[in-house]
Amino acid sequence: MVFMMQCKTGVIRFSVSLPPSLVEEFDDVWKRMGYENRSKAVHDAIRAFISDFKWTQGEDYVAGAVLVLYYLDKPRLLEKITEAQHKFRDIISSTTHIHIEEDKCLEIIAVNGEASKIRRLAEELMAKKGVKEVKVAIIAP
Ligand code: NI
């Protein structure tokens, strides 16, 4: 199996040995996902691999979004969520508030910074009473 990879100076071609069953399964998946060729699928898979690793390493820089779903039925919750964001303002680039229902809100916090700080922000938000769900989507830029 020969992979083509883009890099700053063009592309690097390298060969990789893989079990046929893994290649078959990979080919099946990228075709079902609508990819036109294996190279782009491999490129994206490697990127996801790098992002996943960097997310597990505290000091690496990553970018992404923290999604916070909460109900306004707990006292001072909105204030506490705002306080937490002020505390982590060095890694927050913007916040979008979506009023989902009368008493249900979703906040999309755009983040850019050290993975460990983003994780701490997510954990702090998650621990608050009234916060129903927190999800983090991260890429390594
Ligand atoms: Ni709202």
Side-chain angles (χ1 to χ4, degrees):
M1 184 173 196
V2 176
F3 289 158
M4 290 270 284
M5 289 191 65
Q6 283 187 332
C7 72
K8 276 168 191 159
T9 54
V11 292
I12 293 171
R13 199 176 257 276
F14 68 102
S15 62
V16 176
S17 302
L18 295 169
S21 59
L22 185 62
V23 176
E24 271 169 37
E25 202 174 346
F26 182 69
D27 286 348
D28 178 53
V29 168
W30 66 254
K31 281 171 191 166
R32 280 164 63 192
M33 288 171 81
Y35 279 84
E36 285 174 15
N37 58 62
R38 190 190 273 157
S39 287
K40 166 84 168 124
V42 169
H43 178 277
D44 292 3
I46 291 174
R47 272 240 152 263
F49 181 86
I50 292 167
S51 290
D52 281 354
F53 176 75
K54 287 191 174 177
W55 175 235
T56 65
Q57 303 298 300
E59 71 280 6
D60 275 310
Y61 270 68
V62 293
V66 178
L67 276 64
V68 190
L69 176 72
Y70 58 94
Y71 294 174
L72 291 170
D73 57 354
K74 292 286 178 288
R76 293 190 59 245
L77 179 60
L78 200 56
E79 210 178 313
K80 287 175 190 169
I81 287 171
T82 307
E83 272 170 21
Q85 291 185 59
H86 276 266
K87 190 175 151 189
F88 288 92
R89 63 189 177 279
D90 58 323
I91 55 155
I92 296 173
S93 18
S94 71
T95 302
T96 300
H97 184 103
I98 300 157
H99 311 296
I100 291 179
E101 278 172 28
E102 186 67 35
D103 59 349
K104 194 188 284 181
C105 304
L106 174 70
E107 215 137 281
I108 304 169
I109 307 167
V111 288
N112 183 15
E114 267 179 51
S116 62
K117 277 190 187 172
I118 295 170
R119 187 174 290 112
R120 266 189 280 134
L121 167 67
E123 284 166 359
E124 199 166 313
L125 292 166
M126 214 178 294
K128 299 204 183 307
K129 232 181 211 167
V131 172
K132 301 296 172 191
E133 199 175 341
V134 173
K135 278 196 178 178
V136 184
I138 287 300
I139 56 164

